[in-house]
Amino acid sequence: MNIEPYQEPDYFPILKGTLIKIDPVTAPRQSQRSKWKPSPHELRYRAFRDELRLKCNLAGFTPGEQLQMIFMIATPKSWSKRKTKEMLMKPHTSRGDIDNFSKAVMDALLPEDRHVWRIHACKYWASEGGIYLKNF
């Protein structure tokens, strides 16, 4: 039995789906303390969650049982123009785990995410932040 090595498909020429222009944020670890003294990251996450819900409602996107999420992470302003140009559309392998980005989106858009049985998620560097969302 021959097993081919996995290669990431080239999504960008055929991207279809709903583009939500928003800087992706990871889901924070919540504690009891979060209720009465939320951290700055938790406050950013709550604002992200509310804005994502609003933008998805305006775009008419409703998540289904199978989701594709492509996270476009904005390059830092501190990077040189040369480095920014080199990194555009390259896989984002820095901090901000893909599972935490996915969790943030699902927690924001779904009251109960147990019915989701398939997720495809990836994250790339981009000139501005955004999330492509699509139901399979």
Side-chain angles (χ1 to χ4, degrees):
M1 182 164 137
N2 289 339
I3 298 175
E4 296 290 320
Y6 177 76
Q7 289 186 339
E8 184 76 9
D10 185 12
Y11 289 104
F12 300 104
I14 57 166
L15 265 182
K16 293 193 170 104
T18 304
L19 171 62
I20 307 297
K21 292 189 176 187
I22 188 171
D23 286 323
V25 173
T26 58
R29 253 177 227 272
Q30 306 257 347
S31 64
Q32 287 295 327
R33 182 177 178 215
S34 301
K35 291 180 183 176
W36 54 271
K37 188 174 182 190
S39 70
H41 179 65
E42 288 168 329
L43 294 174
R44 273 194 312 275
Y45 167 71
R46 290 176 187 176
F48 163 80
R49 185 184 59 195
D50 295 341
E51 185 179 352
L52 182 63
R53 282 182 190 147
L54 176 66
K55 288 184 175 184
C56 283
N57 284 337
L58 291 174
F61 179 78
T62 304
E65 295 177 339
Q66 303 177 66
L67 290 172
Q68 179 179 21
M69 297 178 258
I70 301 175
F71 298 96
M72 310 305 285
I73 313 298
T75 55
K77 303 283 185 218
S78 60
W79 283 8
S80 68
K81 288 181 183 178
R82 190 185 102 242
K83 184 173 182 178
T84 298
K85 189 174 180 181
E86 286 174 9
M87 295 304 289
L88 288 180
M89 297 307 171
K90 296 268 173 43
H92 180 278
T93 55
S94 302
R95 256 190 169 201
D97 295 343
I98 193 81
D99 58 326
N100 289 332
F101 280 116
S102 301
K103 182 176 176 1
V105 169
M106 291 200 320
D107 287 349
L109 299 180
L110 299 167
E112 187 63 54
D113 60 5
R114 69 176 174 228
H115 71 278
V116 176
W117 62 272
R118 180 179 171 199
I119 297 171
H120 182 263
C122 47
K123 56 183 183 158
Y124 294 94
W125 289 111
S127 55
E128 61 181 33
I131 305 171
Y132 279 96
L133 297 170
K134 179 181 173 186
N135 292 313
F136 281 102

